[in-house]
Amino acid sequence: MAQKLKFGQRTPPAIFPPVLGLLGLGLAWRRAEAVFVIPPAIADLLLGMVTLLLLWCLLAYGVKLTRRPGVFVEDLAALPGRAGLAAMMMAVMLLAAALLPHDTGLAGAALLAGLAGHGLLALIVAFRLLTGPAEQRQITPVWHLSFVGPILAPLSAVPLGYRAGSEALFWAMLALSAVIWAVSLGQLVRRDPPAPLRPLLAIHLSPASVLGLVALQLGWTGAAMGFAAFGGLILAALLLRARYVAAAGFSPLWGAFTFPLAAFANLTLALADGQGDLFRLAGAALLVAATGAIPAIAFKVMQGWAKGQLAAKTNAATA
């Protein structure tokens, strides 16, 4: 008879991408308040519920780490683990943006914690790539999460007064994103990724969307519109090849669809405030689509976790 696992002993990092997506959705509803005169209670309720979910997930993974800290590095060995742990750090940074209107002190603490955690993760991933087998160094969309994730920091850092650091981070993350986009496009032209990994292609939309949001926050409206156009091309390509991208059917990797959609909805809604009806219509359509898709995907991923199936499907390590 198999030994019954204790709480947190095999918490799968794959729970974090859909939580990141839900946080992004809550922030999209907050942006929609100004564009469509929506009562703030909707965004506050959604963000409050997602914050509790994030804290529960952090507790579950924290218990896993206290049982055996080395499990963190073991989880990074699997692609879903790298994506999930990067999403965990990004969710903490995005939580800072959610907390900003309510408590700047807590927002600053979440920002620093997320940045520090992501910096440690990036260093470990880079070390493993440099010292591991050459075949593991192939660039994947997950590199955006592992190395470009800190681009979320300026969303709260700029309002907190860290403009100079945010500008430097913007240019560094833009350069990294450009390299990953270029190499990934070349790889995609040469060969098809395996069907189970194709949902990860949606991650390419995330940096375009967040770079646009940060540019807008820094007052660079033209750059923000350029990123919105680029993101629109990526989204159009994903929609036109939707059957190809989703050919393997539902899997925990569908969590990769959630944050990119929420992030692009955020950018479109942010541009809708002052840029005309086209962005208003696009923002409304994206908000409706995100509100339908993201909670549904998150529910199925969390359901797999509750049933004890998610860890095995994503090769999560056991503490």
Side-chain angles (χ1 to χ4, degrees):
M1 175 181 277
Q3 184 179 4
K4 186 176 181 181
L5 294 175
K6 297 178 181 179
F7 172 72
Q9 194 170 356
R10 205 182 181 191
T11 303
I15 59 178
F16 289 103
V19 175
L20 177 64
L22 287 169
L23 271 173
L25 178 62
L27 291 173
W29 274 99
R30 179 183 285 174
R31 290 187 184 278
E33 292 169 9
V35 180
F36 303 111
V37 197
I38 295 173
I42 297 176
D44 288 343
L45 178 62
L46 181 54
L47 285 170
M49 293 171 62
V50 179
T51 297
L52 291 175
L53 177 60
L54 172 61
L55 293 176
W56 175 252
C57 293
L58 289 172
L59 173 64
Y61 197 78
V63 169
K64 180 177 177 178
L65 287 179
T66 59
R67 294 186 187 278
R68 189 165 63 86
V71 81
F72 184 84
V73 176
E74 293 177 18
D75 273 330
L76 288 174
L79 191 64
R82 288 198 295 278
L85 291 176
M88 178 177 74
M89 305 304 181
M90 292 169 67
V92 176
M93 282 185 274
L94 203 59
L95 177 62
L99 290 171
L100 202 56
H102 307 292
D103 192 316
T104 55
L106 280 177
L111 173 62
L112 290 176
L115 269 175
H118 204 288
L120 176 63
L121 179 144
L123 286 173
I124 295 173
V125 171
F127 177 79
R128 290 178 65 89
L129 289 171
L130 290 172
T131 59
E135 58 269 18
Q136 291 185 2
R137 295 172 203 159
Q138 178 178 329
I139 290 181
T140 72
V142 173
W143 280 42
H144 282 302
L145 303 179
S146 299
F147 300 113
V148 187
I151 190 56
L152 287 176
L155 297 180
S156 49
V158 173
L160 288 171
Y162 302 106
R163 182 183 175 93
S166 295
E167 289 183 3
L169 191 61
F170 172 89
W171 293 113
M173 295 301 100
L174 173 58
L176 276 173
S177 296
V179 171
I180 296 170
W181 280 323
V183 175
S184 297
L185 180 60
Q187 291 176 168
L188 193 59
V189 169
R190 291 193 300 271
R191 61 182 180 275
D192 284 344
L197 299 182
R198 290 174 194 165
L200 298 177
L201 293 171
I203 296 174
H204 287 302
L205 178 59
S206 294
S209 303
V210 182
L211 284 164
L213 284 167
V214 174
L216 196 61
Q217 199 157 36
L218 292 169
W220 305 336
T221 304
M225 294 185 71
F227 283 117
F230 181 51
L233 290 175
I234 296 174
L235 180 60
L238 290 168
L239 292 175
L240 288 171
R241 300 298 305 276
R243 288 188 179 182
Y244 167 83
V245 173
F250 181 82
S251 77
L253 292 184
W254 277 39
F257 291 134
T258 60
F259 181 67
L261 180 57
F264 193 61
N266 268 282
L267 175 57
T268 309
L269 288 166
L271 286 168
D273 190 10
Q275 298 299 323
D277 290 338
L278 177 61
F279 285 103
R280 286 172 58 88
L281 291 172
L286 286 165
L287 184 62
V288 169
T291 303
I294 294 172
I297 294 172
F299 176 79
K300 293 203 70 173
V301 173
M302 294 299 166
Q303 187 180 52
W305 181 29
K307 291 181 176 179
Q309 302 167 348
L310 188 62
K313 289 182 177 179
T314 58
N315 295 317
T318 303

